Amino acid sequence: MKQGSAAVAFFALLAATALAQGIADPRRSGFDDMGTALQAIQRDDFSNPAALWLAEGESAWNRQAGSAGKSCADCHGGPENMRGVAARYPAYDTMLGRVVNLDGKIEDCRIRRQKADPLPHESRARVALEAFVARQSRGLPIVPPDEPNVGAAAAAGSALFTRRMGQLDLSCAQCHEQRAGQRLAGSIIPQGHPTGYPVYRSEWQSVGTLQRRLRNCMIGVRAEAFAYGSPEFVALEAFLMRRAAGMTIETPAVRP
Amino acid sequence: MAAPLVNAPKRVRRGEVFEVRTLISHPMETGFRPGTNGTIIPRDIIEHVRCRFAGETVLDMALSPAVSANPYLVFYVRADAGGALEMEWTGDKGFSASYSTAIVVE
């Protein structure tokens, strides 16, 4: 725990000193490390295949669901009211009494307000709605809440980030901090900032969440992946968002 | 299944060449990949994309299993007369999608 908060403080300090001294931020989005062809796809909203998911998410936003017969728009109004939301999640939810990520909050809304059955994790409809909500925050800096429960989650996430796991006995930090910028096979190892999730990943040929991406890495080091929506993943997400504080939201990003 | 997305200008000048960009959601399963139980996943692709503009066929394209999922196609059309731009995608398993929009030629 102590080590975790120290790591968070270190990154905050790093970012603050970089800004104060006018030095370029050493943090790089995965966008900066990918090829120019993929960058061109991400820059052009129409050629980004995530546009299909955004269109589905928009219709889901306005469609009534569940026995309450309410749509997202009935309570929240236009999607522009969601601007900034993705930039501050994971956040502590007083009703649920725990820290939730954006996906978890949408699921909670769906169950409690719409009185609908939760959608399966990573299903097209679920990812599409999250992508549509997160899209409203594009261009905004990530601002993790300064709240003790989120801080505790981020500290737990930091501990997970540096913990060796799996048969390959690797931690996240060994690749994404110590060896970021070097190559794993032909690919540049990115710093692992969650700036563009849900992303369209060409390896998946679909849009997926940060948790799906984290599971890919865990399976890669031959660890048993945490379950979707588990507290471990929310903690990792909280840590990663603090680590990327101030970086710009790119949702829906494109990644290789 | 999401509706196809088509990006074309609403108004063009006579004789002008304009760009049509299309994106459609489709798995484009090649028919060569084994599934988790070892059997081949049946082919499921979009076979034909057609576009008619003002009643005239301007694009008739056969896609192959080599085309990626969610095919993104861009093509150019010369506007001689205004009318409806009608797109049609057909494929395996009875797949069919269409899109129509009016383009005014001035």
Side-chain angles (χ1 to χ4, degrees):
Chain A
M1 284 299 239
K2 198 171 176 198
Q3 197 186 5
S5 32
V8 171
F10 171 72
F11 283 114
L13 190 69
L14 202 69
T17 45
L19 287 175
Q21 300 175 350
I23 302 170
D25 192 337
R27 296 175 303 173
R28 290 167 69 84
S29 157
F31 180 86
D32 303 321
D33 289 329
M34 67 187 189
T36 48
L38 282 176
Q39 288 181 342
I41 294 176
Q42 181 174 325
R43 281 203 190 95
D44 177 6
D45 277 341
F46 193 84
S47 62
N48 182 347
L52 294 164
W53 277 257
L54 293 182
E56 274 186 54
E58 183 170 20
S59 52
W61 177 265
N62 295 304
R63 197 187 318 122
Q64 294 174 347
S67 57
K70 279 184 187 170
S71 70
C72 307
D74 287 341
C75 291
H76 294 286
E80 64 280 359
N81 292 332
M82 292 288 107
R83 188 161 167 78
V85 171
R88 63 172 185 263
Y89 271 82
Y92 181 72
D93 191 284
T94 44
M95 302 275 262
L96 291 167
R98 59 183 163 88
V99 177
V100 287
N101 62 358
L102 182 58
D103 172 74
K105 186 61 206 167
I106 295 172
E107 183 187 37
D108 173 52
C109 240
R110 189 173 161 86
I111 297 169
R112 195 147 41 90
R113 307 283 184 205
Q114 295 186 306
K115 306 212 183 299
D117 293 331
L119 295 165
H121 281 284
E122 293 303 310
S123 60
R124 199 178 163 97
R126 182 161 173 155
V127 174
L129 185 56
E130 186 192 349
F132 179 68
V133 171
R135 163 68 182 84
Q136 311 307 320
S137 303
R138 188 166 77 177
L140 295 177
I142 294 172
V143 278
D146 186 15
E147 197 276 335
N149 291 290
V150 180
S158 170
L160 286 169
F161 191 78
T162 48
R163 193 175 85 191
R164 285 165 174 267
M165 53 177 87
Q167 288 178 322
L168 299 193
D169 203 26
L170 283 169
S171 73
C172 312
Q174 283 177 302
C175 283
H176 296 287
E177 258 166 28
Q178 295 167 16
R179 289 170 186 79
Q182 298 180 28
R183 280 172 191 272
L184 176 65
S187 314
I188 292 177
I189 302 173
Q191 295 179 355
H193 294 295
T195 48
Y197 284 88
V199 297
Y200 182 88
R201 194 167 183 229
S202 51
E203 186 184 314
W204 298 333
Q205 302 217 337
S206 70
V207 175
T209 65
L210 176 58
Q211 297 198 1
R212 181 171 176 193
R213 184 66 193 82
L214 293 173
R215 281 173 67 91
N216 280 183
C217 258
M218 291 185 79
I219 291 162
V221 300
R222 298 177 201 162
E224 191 181 331
F226 303 129
Y228 281 113
S230 63
E232 288 88 350
F233 269 148
V234 175
L236 264 173
E237 234 173 274
F239 167 69
L240 290 173
M241 289 299 264
R242 287 207 168 189
R243 184 171 169 258
M247 294 178 81
T248 307
I249 300 246
E250 300 167 35
T251 307
V254 177
R255 293 291 182 264
Chain B
M1 195 58 76
L5 299 176
V6 176
N7 189 326
K10 294 255 178 294
R11 317 179 81 84
V12 288
R13 278 192 301 278
R14 190 171 301 278
E16 187 184 334
V17 175
F18 62 93
E19 186 186 58
V20 180
R21 304 202 287 168
T22 72
L23 181 65
I24 188 163
S25 181
H26 197 282
M28 293 299 282
E29 187 58 57
T30 61
F32 298 117
R33 299 193 310 153
T36 45
N37 61 0
T39 55
I40 299 292
I41 304 170
R43 194 185 87 162
D44 181 13
I45 67 166
I46 295 173
E47 289 178 291
H48 280 102
V49 183
R50 294 185 184 86
C51 178
R52 287 163 65 79
F53 180 51
E56 193 184 340
T57 298
V58 292
L59 177 86
D60 189 340
M61 187 176 179
L63 302 191
S64 78
V67 176
S68 77
N70 309 320
Y72 169 67
L73 294 177
V74 180
F75 55 94
Y76 296 87
V77 182
R78 194 178 67 227
D80 289 331
L85 182 88
E86 300 161 282
M87 293 282 309
E88 187 189 27
W89 295 258
T90 53
D92 294 334
K93 297 185 177 176
F95 179 83
S96 171
S98 60
Y99 177 91
S100 180
T101 184
I103 294 180
V104 178
V105 171
E106 322 177 297

